[in-house]
Amino acid sequence: MSVTAAKGFTAAGIAAGIKENGNPDLALVVNDGPRRAAAGVFTSNRVKAAPVLWSEQVLKGGQVSAVVLNSGGANACTGPKGFQDTHATAEKVAEVLGRGAIEVAVCSTGLIGVLLPMDKLLPGVETAAAQLSEHGGEKAAIAIKTTDTVHKTSVVTKDGWTVGGMAKGAGMLAPGLATMLVVLTTDAALESDVLDKALRAATRTTFDRIDSDGCMSTNDTVLLLASGAAEVTPEYEEFAEAVRQVCDDLGQQLIRDAEGASKDIKVEVVNAASEDDAVEVGRSIARNNLLKCAIHGEDPNWGRVLSAIGTTKAAFEPDQLNVAINGVWVCKNGGVGEDREKVDMRYREVHIVADLAAGSETATIWTNDLTADYVHENSAYSS
Amino acid sequence: MSVTAAKGFTAAGIAAGIKENGNPDLALVVNDGPRRAAAGVFTSNRVKAAPVLWSEQVLKGGQVSAVVLNSGGANACTGPKGFQDTHATAEKVAEVLGRGAIEVAVCSTGLIGVLLPMDKLLPGVETAAAQLSEHGGEKAAIAIKTTDTVHKTSVVTKDGWTVGGMAKGAGMLAPGLATMLVVLTTDAALESDVLDKALRAATRTTFDRIDSDGCMSTNDTVLLLASGAAEVTPEYEEFAEAVRQVCDDLGQQLIRDAEGASKDIKVEVVNAASEDDAVEVGRSIARNNLLKCAIHGEDPNWGRVLSAIGTTKAAFEPDQLNVAINGVWVCKNGGVGEDREKVDMRYREVHIVADLAAGSETATIWTNDLTADYVHENSAYSS
C-alpha cells in the first residue's frame, strides 16, 4: 500500500541512527519507471530548509527518480553546511541507485538548527537501498514519523491505475503545526505539467486548508511521482479527483493525529462574497486561541467566533452574521440565537458553520482544539 | 490614586449584583471640571460591542462628563436590545448626575452574547453615584476586574498637573486577550484635539504592542478625560510623554497579569527596513504558539523564531537573520550561533532580539508564554 500501491515504485524504511531513540528515521522511495515525471509544492515560508531549497531545484526539471526522507532533524537554518549535507545525501542516493542526483528529491523533518549526523545518514542510504521492495511503502511511512502517533497512508485505485501516498506531521502546507511531508505516487502515464496542475489543485483545497496551530513550517513538502507503469493515461478530471481524494484522506489523518488535540474542528464558512473571503474568515476562526480553548472545554462559545470574524477584511455586516455549532444556530443576526444548551459537544468532531450572508461562496478549514497536552508536547520538544 | 489622582475627578466602585459571585462590578468616574475635554480609542474589531458603538458617538463630541463601566458582561453581540441597554445606562448616569447623556461614555467587559441584568445595573448606578469620592479611584479600578488577579493603576505627577489611570484586562487594544478597558484622567487644561493626538501616539507604541494571545476583543476601549482643574496647560511634548508613561506602565501591568502566563516576553525587532516591518515581524513572533510553548518550557528554541519571521512580508534575507535570547546570539546569519546552553531562562522576563539586518528601524512587542493554565482558564470561562 502507501507509496508502493502504484506499480513501478519500490520503497524502504529503516533506522539509520539519526534519532537517538533508535526508531526508524530514513525512508527511500524509488520510481522504477518507465516514466519519472513529477511535481511538487513546498512551504511558502521564506525561511526554507536546505532540503526544500534543493528539492525545488530538482522539481524544476520535472523529473524525480527517487525521494530520500529523514526524520530526526529538519536541516533548517543550518547554513551552507546544511545545504552541502542535503546535496551529499542526494549524491549518495544517486550513486547507490545509478541515477542522476538532480533527479533525487530530499525531505527532512525534526528539530530546526541542528546539522544532520551524516556519518549515520549516508550509510543509512545504502542500507535502505538494499531493502527496497514493492512492499516497502508501509515501512517508509513509519520511518518519516516524528511526533506522529500513527503513520498515515492512503490509496485510491481506479480502472487500471492507482494513486497512493504517505504523510507525516499534523498541519498544513503553509502554515503547518510541524513539518508536513507527503509523497504521492501514481502508475498513470502523465507528464509533469499535468501532475503539477492536479497537485496544486488538490493541495489548495486539502492540505492548504488544514490549520492546526497557525504555525508555518520551514520544511513542508508534497511530492507527486508518476511511473507510467500502468501504461494508462487517465482523463485529467478523473486523475485530479483521485489525487484530491488521497490528499483529502491524508489531510484528515493529519488533523486526527494533531499534537495534543482532543477535538477535530471543521470550520465551514458559507454565503461569503468570495472564496478568498471564506478562506480568510475560516482561517481567522481556526486560529483563535480563545475559541480553540473553549471548544476544548466543550463550550459552544459563539462570541469568540464572532470576534474572530470581526478581525477580517471579508465582506459582511455584523448584524447579519449567523453561527451554528454542531447544527444549532446559536447566533442569529449577530446576536443570541437558539439555546446554547442544545449544542452537543461530546464527540471528537465539532462542526462550526459561519454564515456571512454576503454571497454564495464557501470554504472549509480544519483545525484542532488547543489543549494542555499541546502545550506540554511543544514546551518539551527539543529537550 | 488611579483616576482620582488628578484634580477634578471623583470615582466609585461597587457591587451591583451583575456578577453572580457578589464581587464589585460597577465603576463610575466623573469629571467635575471646570473642563471636560476627552479623547478615546477603541477596538478595531468590526464586531463591536454596544458600549463601544455608543462611546464612539460620545467621543465625536470631544466632551465626556462621566464614564460608567461594568464587569460581569460585555454587552457584545446583543443586538438592538443590547444597544438600548447601553443607552439606558448612559441616560441613568446623566439623570443621577444632572448631565447630558451624550457626554456619558459606557464600557462593559465580560462574556459576549449575554444581555446585562438592567434591573441590577440601573440601581447600581444610583448607589455608585452616592459613593462618588475624590478617593474612589482604587475602588473603581477594583470594580472593573474580570479574570484580573490584581487591579491596575498608574500615576505620573508633573509640575502642577497629573495624569492618572486605571486598566483591566490582559491584552492590547487590538487585538486583546480579554477586553481591555482603560480610563485615564488629567487635571491639565487641554482641548480634545490635543488629548486625541497624545492618546493615539501613546497607545500606538504601548497598548497596541501588547499581544498576549493574538485575539482581538469586541470591547477594548481607552479613554482620556481632562478636567482642567489644575489650571495648567503643559507643553504638548511633556504632556504626551506623561500619557505615554502611564499607558506604558498600565500595559506592563496587563502583561504581567495575563491569563495563565508564567513568562513575560519582550520581542524586540531591530535593524528593520521600516517600523511597519518591525511591528509585523514582532507580532508574528509574538503570536507563534510553538515558540510560546517553547518559552514556557524554558527552551531557547530560536528555530521557531526564524520560522515565524519567515511568514512575514518584511524585508530581510534568510541567511542574514540574527536572533538573541536573553543576551545570547543563538542564531547568527540564519544558522547556528552561540551555544544555546548559555541561555538562562529561569526568570519571568524573557528578551528576544530579532535582527533583520535590513535597515535601522525598531519596534518592541510584548507577549506571554502559552501555558496549560491559559488553556484551563479559557476552556472553562463561560461555564
Side-chain angles (χ1 to χ4, degrees):
Chain A
M1 302 300 287
S2 175
V3 288
T4 48
K7 282 178 280 190
F9 292 93
T10 54
I14 65 145
I18 305 165
K19 287 180 180 167
E20 290 185 2
N21 63 10
N23 282 343
D25 50 21
L26 189 74
L28 195 56
V29 179
V30 177
N31 183 350
D32 294 312
R35 296 164 179 247
R36 50 183 195 278
V41 289
F42 300 91
T43 182
S44 54
N45 199 309
R46 289 170 59 200
V47 176
K48 295 180 203 299
V52 169
L53 295 171
W54 170 265
S55 297
E56 281 182 337
Q57 291 303 316
V58 169
L59 266 297
K60 283 187 181 164
Q63 309 263 20
V64 171
S65 279
V67 186
V68 56
L69 311 93
N70 76 273
S71 50
N75 198 6
C77 307
T78 44
K81 179 67 170 73
F83 193 80
Q84 286 167 21
D85 287 346
T86 288
H87 187 186
T89 305
E91 290 284 1
K92 183 71 180 178
V93 172
E95 172 200 325
V96 171
L97 298 179
R99 315 276 175 106
I102 195 56
E103 292 190 2
V104 178
V106 181
C107 300
S108 299
T109 176
L111 192 63
I112 296 177
V114 180
L115 287 167
L116 291 171
M118 297 304 288
D119 59 328
K120 291 172 179 163
L121 201 157
L122 295 182
V125 168
E126 293 190 24
T127 308
Q131 296 185 18
L132 282 167
S133 152
E134 290 173 9
H135 308 289
E138 209 79 13
K139 284 190 176 171
I142 290 168
I144 59 175
K145 285 169 58 186
T146 53
T147 57
D148 307 68
T149 64
V150 293
H151 62 283
K152 290 108 180 171
T153 66
S154 182
V155 174
V156 168
T157 300
K158 306 295 283 190
D159 189 21
W161 56 276
T162 292
V163 177
M166 65 179 183
K168 67 79 48 180
M172 61 174 294
L173 204 56
L177 169 67
T179 303
M180 185 187 71
L181 300 182
V182 179
V183 179
L184 308 174
T185 58
T186 181
D187 44 19
L190 294 163
E191 297 303 318
S192 60
D193 58 342
V194 176
L195 299 177
D196 188 71
K197 184 180 173 189
L199 184 61
R200 287 181 193 282
T203 56
R204 194 179 74 84
T205 59
T206 56
F207 296 122
D208 267 344
R209 296 194 181 169
I210 296 171
D211 195 337
S212 190
D213 69 353
C215 297
M216 191 192 291
S217 167
T218 51
N219 290 54
D220 291 332
T221 301
V222 183
L223 301 174
L224 171 57
L225 281 58
S227 69
E231 297 179 351
V232 176
T233 300
E235 291 296 316
Y236 172 76
E237 295 301 336
E238 192 183 7
F239 176 70
E241 174 57 19
V243 173
R244 195 201 64 76
Q245 282 179 32
V246 172
C247 289
D248 190 47
D249 183 16
L250 290 172
Q252 291 297 313
Q253 292 180 53
L254 295 180
I255 276 287
R256 286 198 295 275
D257 194 30
E259 289 175 339
S262 69
K263 301 282 187 191
D264 305 330
I265 309 170
K266 181 182 183 180
V267 181
E268 188 181 357
V269 181
V270 301
N271 299 323
S274 69
E275 188 179 355
D276 283 350
D277 273 10
V279 170
E280 184 192 359
V281 168
R283 235 183 254 300
S284 178
I285 295 170
R287 290 182 183 175
N288 188 280
N289 278 352
L290 290 173
L291 176 67
K292 287 153 72 88
C293 287
I295 299 298
H296 178 53
E298 305 195 338
D299 168 13
N301 196 319
W302 59 268
R304 293 176 181 177
V305 177
L306 255 65
S307 67
I309 297 172
T311 65
T312 69
K313 295 190 174 70
F316 70 83
E317 292 301 326
D319 60 358
Q320 293 178 11
L321 295 170
N322 306 299
V323 175
I325 301 180
N326 285 354
V328 181
W329 289 94
V330 284
C331 170
K332 288 183 180 172
N333 298 318
V336 182
E338 293 181 62
D339 186 358
R340 41 171 284 153
E341 298 300 321
K342 288 183 186 170
V343 182
D344 185 350
M345 301 280 285
R346 287 173 299 171
Y347 302 101
R348 183 171 175 104
E349 188 170 319
V350 175
H351 186 193
I352 297 174
V353 181
D355 172 8
L356 302 189
S360 57
E361 296 299 319
T362 183
T364 296
I365 304 285
W366 282 87
T367 189
N368 296 103
D369 56 342
L370 180 56
T371 71
D373 285 348
Y374 173 87
V375 174
H376 292 148
E377 191 155 348
N378 286 298
S379 52
Y381 184 81
S382 73
S383 56
Chain B
M1 303 303 285
S2 172
V3 289
T4 48
K7 282 177 281 190
F9 292 94
T10 54
I14 65 146
I18 304 166
K19 286 180 181 167
E20 289 184 3
N21 63 10
N23 283 342
D25 50 19
L26 189 75
L28 195 56
V29 180
V30 177
N31 183 350
D32 293 314
R35 296 164 180 249
R36 51 184 194 278
V41 290
F42 301 91
T43 182
S44 55
N45 199 309
R46 291 169 58 199
V47 176
K48 295 180 203 300
V52 169
L53 295 171
W54 170 264
S55 296
E56 282 182 336
Q57 290 303 313
V58 168
L59 266 297
K60 282 188 181 165
Q63 309 264 20
V64 171
S65 281
V67 186
V68 56
L69 311 93
N70 75 275
S71 52
N75 198 7
C77 307
T78 43
K81 179 65 172 73
F83 192 80
Q84 286 167 21
D85 287 347
T86 288
H87 187 187
T89 304
E91 290 284 1
K92 184 69 181 178
V93 172
E95 172 200 324
V96 170
L97 299 178
R99 315 275 176 108
I102 196 55
E103 292 190 2
V104 178
V106 181
C107 300
S108 299
T109 176
L111 192 64
I112 296 177
V114 179
L115 288 167
L116 292 170
M118 297 303 288
D119 58 328
K120 291 169 180 163
L121 201 157
L122 295 182
V125 169
E126 293 190 23
T127 306
Q131 296 186 18
L132 283 167
S133 153
E134 290 174 7
H135 309 288
E138 209 78 12
K139 284 190 176 171
I142 291 168
I144 59 175
K145 286 169 57 187
T146 53
T147 57
D148 306 68
T149 64
V150 293
H151 63 284
K152 290 110 180 170
T153 66
S154 181
V155 174
V156 168
T157 301
K158 306 296 281 190
D159 188 21
W161 56 277
T162 292
V163 177
M166 65 179 184
K168 69 78 49 181
M172 60 174 296
L173 205 57
L177 168 67
T179 304
M180 187 188 70
L181 300 182
V182 179
V183 179
L184 309 174
T185 58
T186 181
D187 43 19
L190 294 163
E191 297 303 319
S192 60
D193 56 343
V194 176
L195 300 176
D196 188 71
K197 185 179 172 190
L199 184 62
R200 286 181 194 282
T203 55
R204 194 178 74 85
T205 59
T206 56
F207 296 121
D208 267 345
R209 294 191 183 172
I210 297 172
D211 195 338
S212 190
D213 70 353
C215 297
M216 191 192 291
S217 166
T218 50
N219 289 54
D220 291 332
T221 302
V222 183
L223 301 175
L224 171 58
L225 282 55
S227 70
E231 297 179 351
V232 176
T233 301
E235 291 296 316
Y236 172 75
E237 295 300 336
E238 192 183 9
F239 177 71
E241 175 57 19
V243 173
R244 195 201 62 76
Q245 282 179 31
V246 172
C247 289
D248 191 47
D249 182 15
L250 290 172
Q252 291 297 313
Q253 292 180 52
L254 295 181
I255 276 288
R256 287 198 294 275
D257 195 30
E259 290 176 338
S262 70
K263 301 281 188 192
D264 305 329
I265 309 170
K266 180 183 184 179
V267 180
E268 187 180 358
V269 181
V270 301
N271 300 323
S274 68
E275 188 180 354
D276 283 351
D277 273 11
V279 170
E280 184 192 0
V281 168
R283 235 183 253 300
S284 178
I285 296 169
R287 290 183 183 176
N288 189 282
N289 278 351
L290 290 173
L291 175 66
K292 288 152 72 87
C293 287
I295 299 297
H296 177 54
E298 304 193 340
D299 168 13
N301 196 319
W302 59 268
R304 293 176 181 176
V305 178
L306 255 67
S307 68
I309 298 173
T311 65
T312 70
K313 296 189 173 72
F316 70 84
E317 293 300 325
D319 60 359
Q320 293 178 12
L321 295 171
N322 306 300
V323 175
I325 301 180
N326 285 352
V328 181
W329 289 96
V330 284
C331 170
K332 287 183 182 174
N333 298 318
V336 181
E338 294 180 62
D339 186 356
R340 43 170 284 152
E341 298 300 321
K342 290 183 185 168
V343 183
D344 186 350
M345 301 280 284
R346 288 173 298 171
Y347 303 101
R348 183 170 174 103
E349 188 170 321
V350 175
H351 186 192
I352 297 173
V353 180
D355 172 9
L356 301 188
S360 59
E361 296 298 319
T362 183
T364 297
I365 304 285
W366 283 88
T367 189
N368 297 103
D369 56 342
L370 181 55
T371 72
D373 285 346
Y374 173 87
V375 174
H376 292 148
E377 191 156 348
N378 286 298
S379 53
Y381 185 81
S382 73
S383 56

